[in-house]
Amino acid sequence: MRTTRTLGVTAAAIVLAASSIVGGASAAQAAPTVYKNCTAIHKVYSGGIAKKSVTQNRVNSGGKITYRALKGTVKKDDALYNANKKSDADGDGIACELS
């Protein structure tokens, strides 16, 4: 009886260890893509990449700030935006937006 319980516990431990290894591999694959430049981003998302909270494009023209609707296919994803934040020249929360 005691041998059966030990084997059951050992088998359960092996299954848990295997599932954590597989789970760790899929988490590494889910890392957001870092694009080289805006041309590369526009090939996938024509309107750029935005934070989830952004609803409009902030445009500064001659010191006057106006807000415009988002153009093209804009991907709203915080992790993807943070990975490509370097491409947000005006700092409005949209990388490579179309104005």
Side-chain angles (χ1 to χ4, degrees):
M1 194 74 146
R2 186 169 273 203
T3 304
T4 307
R5 286 185 191 168
T6 305
L7 289 176
V9 172
T10 304
I14 291 171
V15 169
L16 286 173
S19 66
S20 67
I21 292 171
V22 172
S26 64
Q29 294 171 351
T33 304
V34 177
Y35 293 95
K36 183 177 180 179
N37 53 33
C38 286
T39 302
I41 290 174
H42 287 151
K43 287 180 181 178
V44 181
Y45 308 109
S46 64
I49 302 168
K51 294 178 182 178
K52 287 183 180 181
S53 61
V54 173
T55 58
Q56 293 182 327
N57 182 14
R58 185 181 74 214
V59 179
N60 186 350
S61 179
K64 182 180 177 185
I65 296 176
T66 57
Y67 293 90
R68 299 182 184 163
L70 300 175
K71 293 183 180 180
T73 303
V74 178
K75 175 67 173 175
K76 290 189 174 187
D77 185 324
D78 290 338
L80 187 59
Y81 171 80
N82 288 331
N84 294 282
K85 192 174 184 175
K86 69 183 184 315
S87 296
D88 185 5
D90 57 359
D92 63 353
I94 312 168
C96 301
E97 71 269 19
L98 301 175
S99 28

